[in-house]
């Protein structure tokens, strides 16, 4: 992170107004350890937000001023989002993206992400798949997980009836994969990462 920030003349961090205080603690700690001041003014060079900044008026005014600058000039500011990234970090958008790519390039994309269906849009496709396979294997292990679009409340799908699937509302039903377990703590886990692209 510090190597990327060396490209900015004098890093000054601006936090977007929609960022939750709990999520700011590691960002503020990293800024303090790197000696980067935090600003609420328009003199920022590093923007950090929970959501994409493209519609934020404070971001748009600065970006429009710099858009006319020479492309050969050194970077004037950095953000923690990449345009279009929402299509890859949202479970529903990622499912739509990988499904369309797999249809176009089946050999290349086939096993990139687990098979998934976005409800209610893909209700019929999911019903057909469950009719072929069922909801659990012979040992009772579920084939499918239900995930809320809000990234909360993951659970096993235990009933594949039409009424049960309709009751899920807006959700993602995804094929359960063999989880990676740690020897010291045999339980399922996930990893969240922050990545800076420079």
């Amino acid at each position: 992170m510090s190597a990327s920030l060396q490209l900015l003349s004098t890093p000054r961090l601006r936090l977007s107004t929609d960022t939750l205080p709990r999520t700011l603690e590691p960002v503020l700690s990293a800024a303090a350890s790197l000696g980067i001041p935090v600003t609420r003014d328009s003199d920022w060079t590093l923007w950090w937000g929970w959501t994409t900044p493209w519609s934020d008026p404070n971001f748009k005014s600065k970006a429009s001023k710099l858009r006319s600058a020479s492309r050969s000039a050194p970077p004037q500011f950095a953000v923690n989002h990449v345009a279009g990234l929402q299509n890859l970090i949202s479970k529903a958008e990622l499912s739509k993206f990988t499904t369309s790519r797999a249809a176009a390039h089946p050999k290349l994309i086939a096993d990139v992400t687990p098979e998934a269906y976005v409800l209610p849009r893909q209700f019929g496709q999911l019903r057909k798949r469950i009719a072929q396979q069922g909801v659990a294997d012979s040992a009772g292990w579920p084939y499918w997980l239900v995930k809320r679009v809000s990234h909360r409340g993951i659970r096993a799908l235990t009933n594949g009836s039409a009424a049960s699937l309709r009751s899920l509302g807006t959700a993602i039903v995804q094929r359960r994969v063999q989880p990676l377990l740690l020897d010291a703590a045999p339980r399922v886990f996930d990893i969240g990462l922050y990545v800076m692209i420079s």
Side-chain angles (χ1 to χ4, degrees), residues 95-110:
S95 174
K96 284 192 274 187
F97 174 77
T98 54
T99 299
S100 68
R101 295 296 86 212
H105 308 284
K107 291 182 180 176
L108 182 65
I109 309 291

Side-chain angles (χ1 to χ4, degrees), residues 106-188:
K107 291 182 180 176
L108 182 65
I109 309 291
D111 296 321
V112 171
T113 61
E115 181 181 0
Y117 300 89
V118 179
L119 297 179
R121 187 172 55 85
Q122 296 178 307
F123 174 83
Q125 294 166 272
L126 177 60
R127 281 284 293 146
K128 189 180 293 184
R129 190 70 173 99
I130 289 174
Q132 293 170 345
Q133 188 174 40
V135 292
D137 65 17
S138 59
W141 287 98
Y143 284 131
W144 305 98
L145 298 175
V146 178
K147 301 181 176 189
R148 294 279 158 221
V149 176
S150 64
H151 298 273
R152 298 290 180 267
I154 299 172
R155 61 185 177 86
L157 179 68
T158 57
N159 185 339
S161 71
S164 176
L165 294 177
R166 281 194 185 93
S167 73
L168 297 175
T170 303
I172 297 161
V173 178
Q174 187 176 59
R175 174 84 177 189
R176 184 183 65 85
V177 297
Q178 183 65 36
L180 173 63
L181 302 176
L182 300 176
D183 292 336
R187 55 188 300 168
V188 178

Side-chain angles (χ1 to χ4, degrees), residues 14-33:
R14 166 87 189 236
L15 302 171
S16 67
T17 55
D18 62 354
T19 308
L20 303 174
R22 184 175 56 91
T23 63
L24 288 181
E25 292 172 8
V27 177
L28 292 174
S29 176
S33 69

Side-chain angles (χ1 to χ4, degrees), residues 18-80:
D18 62 354
T19 308
L20 303 174
R22 184 175 56 91
T23 63
L24 288 181
E25 292 172 8
V27 177
L28 292 174
S29 176
S33 69
L34 293 169
I36 299 172
V38 178
T39 181
R40 296 302 296 170
D41 298 322
S42 61
D43 65 340
W44 59 269
T45 56
L46 177 60
W47 178 282
W48 191 279
W50 180 251
T51 60
T52 56
W54 322 128
S55 61
D56 187 292
N58 295 307
F59 181 86
K60 284 171 73 174
S61 66
K62 181 150 188 167
S64 64
K65 290 174 189 171
L66 295 173
R67 201 167 283 135
S68 59
S70 167
R71 290 187 182 274
S72 62
Q76 302 295 311
F77 66 91
V79 298
N80 72 318

